[in-house]
Amino acid sequence: MNPLRRFNLRDQPLPTITTTTGPTIPGWTFPLVQTLTATTLLTTTAPTTWHTHPLFLTILATLTALVLLRPTPATAGLLLTATGALLWTTGTAPLDPRILWLAPLAHTLWRATWWAAHVPPTARTEITALLTGWRRTAAAIGTTELLALAAWAVTTLPGLEAAILLGALALAALAVLTLPREP
Amino acid sequence: MTTPTTDRPPAWTPTTTRHAATATGLVLLAAAVLTGRPDLALLAAPILLTTLWSATPPTRPTTAHLHQPAGETHAGQLTATLTLHPAPTAPLTHLRITAPGHRDTHTVIATPTTREIPLRLASVRTGPQDTFHIALRAYDTSGVWEQPPTDLHGARRLVLPATTPLGPVPLPHALRGLTGPHTSRRLGDGTELRDIHPFQPGDNPRRIDWRTTARRSPDLTTPYTRRTLATAEATAMLVLDSRDDVGPDIRTWRNHGTRRPDDPTSLDLARHAAASIARQLIESGDRVAMEDLGRRRRPVPPASGRRHLRRLTHALALAHPLDDRATSHTIRPPQIPSGAIVYLFTTLLDDDTTRLVRAWRTLAHPVVVIDTLPTLHPIHQPHLRLAWRITRLERDQRITDLHHTGTPVIHWATHTHEPPPRTHLQALARRTHHHPSPTPRTTRTPR
């Protein structure tokens, strides 16, 4: 006899409540996407020579586990900051072209963390719910890509410092606009 | 039946996503300025842009209605419809739906417009049942604003037992009344020929058999009449032992643990059996009464008709154990109408019911015991297996004693390879029909 069965009152899980919805995906998909995107962000930002370094592997495992176990916006922001630090340390100055795909990946991690924070692994999420606001997301990522391409073009021209200052001011204005205000 | 909407839903509140996005953006921005690396700022640009897009909260809250169908509810039909009225810019709704004996259901759905979500419970239980409890939380498109959880409670509903069509069921030996669906052994108005007899004062002249009269009395001095057997009705008493309600999992007996709602308990089986037999008897035109052993109140008096069947069904659905068996009072034999057959629905887990059967048999009431103990699940715990072994031996002894007294015991919960209970009931009905009890004294039909 399986000794666990002595203490397990339920041999079978309790029945579920039937809800009629559209096609859904399970809630554990979001931690999975989180893990994949976090690992991809960190490993692709770091140079390949670091991939076997114990310190890097420890940091990678710690950050991934942190964002997986505590899927909050703060941990996702911490992981993005770490990605930025790696990009600054190992990327090509003044603008690393990898930002063209790192920025959408960072946004994917951000959204996956939000979903993982709000949806339990046993929950079901409608695919149409995932796709709500896709136009807004596409517009934001498209704008970012255009900015990145513009910055990439500008960095190859003379007067680099002024362009960076101008871009920084624009982004600072953007950040100030996102500050919470009284409705 | 509609449950009122979420009363006064709370206002929208910003989530930590907004603060975290701003902080991350500012940190990366400062790093970009300090290091002269615009790519660091671009890393946070999509997050800042989508957060900026949701700067203002939705204008009104998301509300919901829970609509439950009115009228009678039968087992397996516990349904409801949730209607969501979302806020204009809040197309995400997180539902946490709970119900007794069911796993919690978390669902995130898209609600761009008003939407109806059908809900259904897997319960096969009967009687008063608690239904849905729904916690609802709404989010805007970017997850920057959220509406705190609001609760919706479904109404408690009375689930009526379903019925199974049965064939003939055992009837009492002594039929009562002056009319009814059955042919009695008394002389009277009816359709079944009893004999041909010389005409007597009081006989109906329309029943004179002229052929027999011409053959036996050619001069027509003694007319002969066709005499028939009177019709009558049967009275049945349904005695429901609602003192205990045990499921197929022995670990849940005596109110331990959670019983599965998709496993019918002994009381569900008793309700189903009693409702099926009552329906069969009432559709045949017989009179049915009901007594609940678990409650001290007036029994449902014998009557017939469709309305009485509904009354019986509701009384069956409302029967439930009131207290623990160990502290229950010693039950007294209910009063049985004269000449009635008794159908006793019990689990036979104690001696009280066998004592009742003996009392009824002493009064010459035919008794049919319907064993409503469900087919038990395998028992893995040694102490429970030992306890059930002792209980089963005692129970088998009671069944054997009942058989020795001539009381049939029919198991309502049968395996798939066993004949259904209706087969046993039909065989029993045939047996009692072919071997009736001693014929009562014949009386003339009063005119």
Side-chain angles (χ1 to χ4, degrees), chain A residues 1 5 8-10 12-15 18 20 80 84 87-88 94 96 99 111 114 118 124 126 136 171 179, chain B residues 22 29 35 37 39-41 47 53-54 94 103 106 108 110 115 118 120 139 142-143 251 258 260 380:
Chain A
M1 183 185 68
R5 301 186 75 169
N8 184 14
L9 190 61
R10 296 274 136 250
Q12 294 178 347
L14 291 171
T18 306
T20 306
L80 288 187
L87 194 65
W88 169 57
D96 196 323
I99 195 63
R111 290 300 293 164
W114 185 89
H118 291 84
R124 308 291 303 184
E126 268 190 342
R136 186 178 294 192
L171 285 171
L179 285 175
Chain B
T22 307
L29 188 62
T35 59
R37 294 288 300 272
D39 46 358
L40 299 187
I47 302 165
W53 211 313
S54 301
H94 184 177
R103 273 183 283 168
H106 287 265
V108 181
R115 187 170 172 186
R120 176 183 284 273
Y139 303 102
S142 304
R251 292 169 294 184
T258 305
R260 293 181 65 89
H380 302 289

Side-chain angles (χ1 to χ4, degrees), chain B residues 282-344:
Chain B
I282 286 177
E283 284 182 349
S284 304
D286 295 318
R287 293 157 62 86
V288 182
M290 198 202 96
E291 172 79 70
D292 184 357
L293 286 184
R295 312 188 80 176
R296 286 178 174 173
R297 64 176 185 185
R298 293 180 62 190
V300 180
S304 60
R306 190 172 296 176
R307 182 179 292 181
H308 185 66
L309 179 61
R310 289 187 63 185
R311 188 192 306 169
L312 282 172
T313 309
H314 275 82
L316 287 169
L318 288 171
H320 64 279
L322 284 182
D323 51 9
D324 197 338
R325 170 182 285 276
T327 59
S328 65
H329 58 276
T330 303
I331 54 175
R332 298 175 60 186
Q335 293 290 322
I336 306 296
S338 174
I341 185 172
V342 180
Y343 285 93
L344 175 62

Side-chain angles (χ1 to χ4, degrees), chain B residues 351-366:
Chain B
D351 289 325
D352 288 345
T353 48
T354 49
R355 189 173 52 80
L356 289 179
V357 171
R358 279 196 296 272
W360 289 323
R361 295 290 295 173
T362 307
L363 296 171
H365 287 293

Side-chain angles (χ1 to χ4, degrees), chain B residues 162-169 272-273 275-281 283-284 412 420-423 425-426:
Chain B
T163 57
T164 299
L166 300 173
V169 294
H272 176 242
S276 301
I277 290 174
R279 177 185 165 192
Q280 174 63 30
L281 289 168
E283 284 182 349
S284 304
W412 196 260
R422 62 177 291 180
T423 308
L425 285 170
Q426 286 175 0

Side-chain angles (χ1 to χ4, degrees), chain A:
Chain A
M1 183 185 68
N2 183 1
L4 288 177
R5 301 186 75 169
R6 294 182 59 182
F7 306 102
N8 184 14
L9 190 61
R10 296 274 136 250
D11 294 330
Q12 294 178 347
L14 291 171
T16 56
I17 301 167
T18 306
T19 56
T20 306
T21 61
T24 57
I25 59 167
W28 51 259
T29 310
F30 303 115
L32 184 67
V33 173
Q34 260 189 302
T35 310
L36 291 176
T37 50
T39 311
T40 309
L41 270 175
L42 293 173
T43 51
T44 54
T45 312
T48 51
T49 52
W50 289 17
H51 288 177
T52 53
H53 198 280
L55 180 62
F56 173 75
L57 291 176
T58 306
I59 293 172
L60 174 70
T62 306
L63 286 174
T64 307
L66 184 68
V67 80
L68 189 65
L69 297 176
R70 285 190 59 82
T72 62
T75 52
L78 182 66
L79 200 138
L80 288 187
T81 308
T83 306
L86 280 174
L87 194 65
W88 169 57
T89 311
T90 63
T92 54
L95 189 136
D96 196 323
R98 286 182 295 175
I99 195 63
L100 289 172
W101 56 268
L102 282 178
L105 201 62
H107 187 263
T108 306
L109 172 70
W110 186 263
R111 290 300 293 164
T113 305
W114 185 89
W115 280 103
H118 291 84
V119 179
T122 55
R124 308 291 303 184
T125 303
E126 268 190 342
I127 294 174
T128 50
L130 287 174
L131 296 178
T132 52
W134 67 270
R135 288 188 182 86
R136 186 178 294 192
T137 306
I141 291 176
T143 307
T144 306
E145 295 293 308
L146 285 176
L147 282 173
L149 286 173
W152 196 12
V154 164
T155 51
T156 58
L157 297 174
L160 170 66
E161 293 77 13
I164 291 176
L165 186 61
L166 193 64
L169 286 174
L171 285 171
L174 184 65
V176 168
L177 285 172
T178 61
L179 285 175
R181 292 186 298 270
E182 288 298 322

Side-chain angles (χ1 to χ4, degrees), chain B residues 8-42:
Chain B
R8 199 177 295 174
W12 292 88
T13 55
T15 60
T16 54
T17 304
R18 186 173 187 179
H19 305 287
T22 307
T24 306
L26 286 175
V27 168
L28 287 174
L29 188 62
V33 171
L34 291 175
T35 59
R37 294 288 300 272
D39 46 358
L40 299 187
L42 287 170

